[in-house]
Amino acid sequence: MSKPEILLVRPIMPLIEEGLTKHFTLHKLAEVGDEAAFFREVGPRIRGVAAGGAGKADRALIEKLPALEIIANFGVGYDGIDVKAAAERGIIVTNTPDVLTGEVADLALGLLLATVRQIPQVDRYLRAGKWLEKPYPLTTTLRERKIGILGLGRIGKAIARRCEAFDLEIAYHGRRRQDDVPYRYYDNLVDMARDVDVLMVVAPGGDATYHIVNEEVLNALGPNGILINVGRGTVVDEKALIAALRDGRILSAGLDVFENEPHVPAELIAMDHVVLLPHVGSASVYTRNAMGQLVVDNLVSWFEGKGPKTPVPETPWPRK
Ligand code: NAP
Ligand code: 8YV
């Protein structure tokens, strides 16, 4: 029997490519010259897609693949997949939850500490020889700060556990109260922002969260407030954030994600009171390998008839 045919939307880590090659016939969209001819001739045979990061699977792509059964996303956030278009066709979408939770939570705490104590700025100061002239100015502190977590899911809870060890008072906002957590719930994001002085964003992207951290939320966070975003760039209105940072309406920000990655606004790059990371929350060899293996395992399991390992809630398995 011939191997199932899989489409790689973008170049993907070697571990995934090698893992998939053992089981499937791979087609790489990035290496296709004439895409129209490819979709006409090969498209009808494609049964699986591996996507993630810049490799999006939108409705237009899904519509070109009439035999598509499964889209395996590299990443827990799947805002790059048109999950509605997939669900309408009964196509399963999988993501990579849990295996990256601790790594991203570690990075979130690192970014919080780096932002509060200005660790990258202090490093730059030493390297520039300025310590020889005078000590670095005193910084703000994490002591006595309250943290509000926007998106108390798997990663949000792992961040909260780490914040407990730092003696931070913790609150959260999401669409619903969670009865099994000891933290204060806010059903209104502006109210939470007013009561905390660190807003930690770890919510998914997509239409429902687009720009929910807006000017009103940032003003409520206030002049001592710090915004950390490890969720998705689209959750924060980046223009409003730049204005709030420029005008001193919030103190600073630590950002791992941006609205239009990998493009970061020049205004942010020019600011010395922000810490900017190139979307590295899960970016260790250990964790990226685990994510990659889960992409392979989902596709292999599906085509062995054992169902997907980690389907997203919108395309449950067994189907409802
Ligand atoms: P998760 O377990 O699904 O948690 C997501 C949380 O967001 C849930 O608690 C949910 O609570 C909340 N949420 C969802 N929609 C919301 C809305 N419209 N308004 C307010 N809250 C909302 O996901 P996870 O595994 O923790 O991952 C979270 C996100 O982190 C991913 O989607 C991804 O975007 C991001 N991420 C970033 C990196 C990085 O490298 N920086 C790495 C991994 C993940 P309710 O259901 O109660 O609303
Ligand atoms: C990845 C992420 O860097 O899992 C996610 O949602 O944002 C990160 O772990 C990304 O998805 C892979 O490009």
Side-chain angles (χ1 to χ4, degrees), residues 98-115 119 142 147 149 153-166 168 200-202 228-231 254 256 275 277 279-288:
D98 301 317
V99 294
L100 46 57
T101 293
E103 203 73 79
V104 182
D106 289 351
L107 193 281
L109 264 291
L111 183 53
L112 172 59
L113 286 168
T115 306
I119 294 170
L142 203 54
I147 185 165
I149 299 177
R154 288 169 293 242
I155 301 171
K157 287 193 182 80
I159 292 171
R161 284 195 298 277
R162 286 156 173 76
C163 288
E164 284 184 43
F166 282 86
L168 296 181
M200 172 69 73
V201 179
V202 62
I228 305 294
N229 189 2
V230 296
D256 185 44
V275 178
L277 304 180
H279 200 147
V280 292
S282 66
S284 70
V285 173
Y286 176 92
T287 292
R288 286 287 171 84

Side-chain angles (χ1 to χ4, degrees), residues 7 29 32 34-44 46 60-61 64-66:
L7 178 64
L29 197 51
V32 165
D34 181 347
E35 280 199 12
F38 172 82
F39 282 114
R40 203 170 47 245
E41 287 153 26
V42 183
I46 298 291
L61 178 86
K64 287 177 194 152
L65 304 172

